[in-house]
Amino acid sequence: MTDVHAAWLPAEAFRSIGTRNVLLAADGGGLVGTVAAEVAHAGDTFGGSLRRGTGGDGADLVLSVGAAGGEGFELSRAGGVTTVRGDGPAGLLYGLFHVVRLGEAAFGADRSPERHQPAMTRRMVDHWDNVDVHPVMGQVERGYAGGSVFWRDGAARGDLARVRAYARLLAACGVNALAVNNVNVHATEAHLLTDRLGDVAAIAETLRPYGIRTHLSVSFAAPVTLGGLPSADPLLPEVRHWWEAATRRVYDAIPDFGGYVVKADSEGQPGPFAYGRTHAEGANLLADALAPHGGVVHWRAFVYNHRQDWRDRSTDRARAAHDHFVPLDGRFRDNAILQVKYGPMDFQPREPVSPLIAAMPSTRVAVEVQATQEYTGQQRHVCYLGPLWSDVLGFGPWGTDGTTVAGIAAVGGGLVAVSNVGDDPFWTGHPLAQANLYAFGRLAWDPRLDPGAVLDEWIGLTFPGQSPRDALHAVMDGSWRTYERYTAPLGVGFMVRPGHHYGPDVDGYEYTPWGTYHFADRDGIGVDRSRATGTGFTGQYPPPWRDVYESVELCPDELLLFFHHVPYGHLLHSGSTVIQHIYDTHFAGVEEVAAMRERWASVAGSVDPALHGRVADLLDEQLRSAQEWCDQVNSYFHRKSGVPDARGRHVY
Ligand code: GCV
């Protein structure tokens, strides 16, 4: 793997363990074997030792496994000995990585027993991997890190060493499930379910030693396209039998298979609507096939009309998921998980939390975020998403009383991220985009973690013994808000180039069928989603948000244009007008990127030169792009509104 640069967990990150005498008081292979191999390798590198058996004399670190099973662990330190007791083998593995994270701090002062337990049962990454190179989308849809880690030229990679290294990275941040292919299932990937199941089994075998279960995206039309049946109607017995048999074969090949992911009746993917059936009937078909084997189906709620008429202002894409799915609450099987994007539109840098998440009390809901930065700089811009996800997870749909989004996902289907990894030497194209993947895993494990502290963990694990910590915080901590400043204002979203979604194009989607409009005219901008005069979307929220968002006065500034159409002179809570806010934030965003670039330049020499160079080049591009955003957005609104910048700066 000489062409691969380290992500988190270079050898140095294991120094604190590798210099210690470690007793592993647990038998067996599997995940315990993985722990043994990790510790032995660290000991070989740094001179420590690993003993297996009982009797802890002379050990600095004692690792053991309880009988209960599970992913939690207990950590303590007394009498010069640090002890990790996993609830089960998986708990021991996560406990080991926790000790790695702590570094020397794990071997310092005494610690009374601490319990660590994941908040979410399933912490999953989805790969939008096309296996083949798609003529428009490339090998990985919305992939900004090169090609696939799993396949080359449409065929399985013989050498899965890189997948094994990936599994290790994922386990170290707590991820325990992975879907290997795109939710848009084309002709080639469809076959992973049947005659190319061997490819999936090989990946599953590679992920298993790190506690990661493999999932597969499948096409709802598979009984027709693969099985030769005349119909995929979920209520037909022959269709049910087809799925049962196909699923049985999957479990014969992969006994710990996690389940299916399905995008149905969405952006051209087939689904139950073709047969006049509901999405609950569709999801339950697959859930029933999986149930005897303990699998789950992740059924995506991203269902909307992508052929709407831009002239029709009563149709609101933001409403679609709630309109489709709420009537079905309580009708999904227990092993059918409704996978809902965090916002009602599509992974914008700023959206309100999707009201659907709180509207399915009798359905298991998983929340989907996007580590691959489709609308947040495409892994060319630094945009640390930890703070965005932390806000989403901490959001209380019923206000400060009642549960949070994290609480709903925890009792439901967990958290899912679209992965940002590819075969790029730095894993994620932009080396700093790795932090998003790491933060995803950590926030799925514990959504209450402070995203700044999570970033600090990532820095410590990625650059151990090096000193760019302050510079990385300076560049990354506020990068999501910086990105927001120089792109679409006040929650209105999009304004990106149609198709590839990179760079500004204010009206790019304005007269298209995609339902992503800003409605700017000479007098004002924004989408009226109020109940009083707009699309009624605010009514999909419970109180207090239905009233907060309904009111122009109460609506938070950052979401104002998502919910309301207002004049350019409208006064924000910040004291600025909408138009002046647009000018000010866009100029500020560019200045912030320039400062990020300078700060990064100052640490040349204290990080790997190849990595430094890659980030420096990308910051050049980020500055160019931010300037372009600024110039286009400011010029557009100056021309539309005729209102000059109060500070007289140059607008084109
Ligand atoms: C996989 C957005 C993206 C699509 C993606 C889709 C989805 O529309 O642009 O590339 O398709 O979301 O989440 O299904």
Side-chain angles (χ1 to χ4, degrees), residues 128 141-142 182 184 263 267 300 302 341 346 374:
W128 285 353
E141 181 157 347
R142 312 306 179 186
N182 193 355
N184 292 331
K263 171 176 176 177
E267 299 184 333
R300 294 179 84 236
F302 186 57
K341 289 190 182 186
D346 196 2
E374 178 176 0

Side-chain angles (χ1 to χ4, degrees), residues 10-189:
E12 186 62 27
F14 272 73
R15 177 180 286 278
S16 62
I17 290 178
T19 51
R20 300 299 194 303
N21 296 320
V22 181
L23 174 74
L24 176 55
D27 297 328
L31 299 186
V32 174
T34 303
V35 169
E38 288 284 352
V39 174
H41 183 71
D44 290 347
T45 310
F46 295 105
S49 70
L50 168 68
R51 207 150 37 89
R52 293 191 73 165
T54 47
D57 288 357
D60 306 302
L61 174 63
V62 176
L63 306 171
S64 65
V65 179
E71 296 182 315
F73 61 90
E74 190 174 281
L75 172 76
S76 60
R77 180 164 174 85
V81 181
T82 300
T83 306
V84 175
R85 186 167 177 77
D87 295 349
L92 183 63
L93 182 68
Y94 293 125
L96 176 77
F97 284 127
H98 190 68
V99 174
V100 175
R101 227 176 349 254
L102 291 172
E104 281 305 313
F107 302 98
D110 281 3
R111 288 173 177 265
S112 40
E114 300 163 10
R115 259 212 69 74
H116 295 258
Q117 181 86 33
M120 318 264 172
T121 310
R122 194 167 298 97
R123 307 171 299 278
M124 179 169 179
V125 288
D126 283 5
H127 281 254
W128 285 353
D129 192 318
N130 291 322
V131 182
D132 264 337
V133 178
H134 184 277
V136 179
M137 291 298 172
Q139 193 177 18
V140 181
E141 181 157 347
R142 312 306 179 186
Y144 311 106
S148 166
V149 284
F150 302 118
W151 284 277
R152 185 182 289 132
D153 301 329
R157 282 175 185 269
D159 176 8
L160 291 178
R162 181 111 192 226
V163 175
R164 186 177 168 87
Y166 180 41
R168 180 170 181 261
L169 295 176
L170 291 177
C173 63
V175 169
N176 68 356
L178 183 150
V180 296
N181 63 306
N182 193 355
V183 290
N184 292 331
V185 183
H186 311 93
T188 299
E189 314 95 271

Side-chain angles (χ1 to χ4, degrees), residues 549-582:
Y549 293 147
E550 176 74 10
S551 152
V552 184
E553 286 73 37
L554 297 177
C555 185
D557 283 353
E558 67 271 17
L559 289 171
L560 184 66
L561 302 183
F562 191 95
F563 285 105
H564 297 281
H565 186 92
V566 296
Y568 291 113
H570 175 87
L571 206 57
L572 297 167
H573 296 126
S574 68
S576 190
T577 59
V578 165
I579 189 72
Q580 194 56 40
H581 172 94
I582 292 174

Side-chain angles (χ1 to χ4, degrees), residues 67 74 380 386 408 633:
E74 190 174 281
R380 281 185 257 180
I408 294 168
V633 171

Side-chain angles (χ1 to χ4, degrees), residues 216-229:
L216 190 63
S217 298
V218 295
S219 163
F220 193 75
V224 177
T225 54
L226 299 172
L229 297 183

